[in-house]
Amino acid sequence: MAQDLWDAFPESRDPSKFSEISAAIYSPWVLPSLQVLAGITAADMLSPKKFNAHDMLDFHHAALAIPYCDALFCDNPMATRLRNKPCQFGQVYGKVILSRPEEIREYLSALAHPTL
């Protein structure tokens, strides 16, 4: 498939033409899920914490949820990783990232009974 694309678009092979893309058009926020996934992965690579293969599934869930959902509920280590430096995705996206059952219950109660 890659070879077919390469052959079909010879005008796109020249990297000097990439500068023709206006800076006003380009934005890293165009693909927010990829930005979140890349950020979590990079932060994890720099962390002294041992990598757990199950974390990758959590990374994908977070990357899909954070840009598009109001809140993300996850385990405490993941919530800590997402809320704190270097990621700070709750702050960057203005989202709620919760892990403790009591804070999740409080958040959901506020949604169900906004006047309480």
Side-chain angles (χ1 to χ4, degrees), residues 71-74 96-114 116:
L72 172 67
F73 307 149
C74 53
V96 176
I97 301 171
L98 304 172
S99 62
R100 294 189 335 262
E102 57 275 4
E103 65 186 5
I104 294 170
R105 183 176 40 250
E106 185 178 311
Y107 177 83
L108 294 173
S109 292
L111 290 178
H113 309 286
L116 294 180

Side-chain angles (χ1 to χ4, degrees), residues 4 7 15 17 40-41 47 50 54 83 97-98 102 108:
D4 291 340
D7 294 339
K17 293 184 179 182
I40 299 169
T41 304
S47 170
K50 186 178 177 188
H54 297 288
R83 287 190 297 227
I97 301 171
L98 304 172
E102 57 275 4
L108 294 173

Side-chain angles (χ1 to χ4, degrees), residues 1 4 9 16 29-30 33 36 38 45 48 50 52-53 55 60 63 72-73 91 96 104 106 108 112:
M1 182 184 289
D4 291 340
F9 300 98
S16 67
W29 299 104
V30 171
S33 288
V36 171
M45 290 175 68
K50 186 178 177 188
N52 180 342
D55 288 344
H60 285 266
L72 172 67
F73 307 149
Q91 182 181 346
V96 176
I104 294 170
E106 185 178 311
L108 294 173

Side-chain angles (χ1 to χ4, degrees), residues 14-57:
D14 184 3
S16 67
K17 293 184 179 182
F18 296 157
S19 63
E20 296 173 9
I21 299 173
S22 168
I25 295 173
Y26 172 77
S27 170
W29 299 104
V30 171
L31 299 170
S33 288
L34 291 179
Q35 190 258 350
V36 171
L37 184 58
I40 299 169
T41 304
D44 197 64
M45 290 175 68
L46 297 175
S47 170
K49 178 183 173 283
K50 186 178 177 188
F51 178 77
N52 180 342
H54 297 288
D55 288 344
M56 188 53 71
L57 187 57

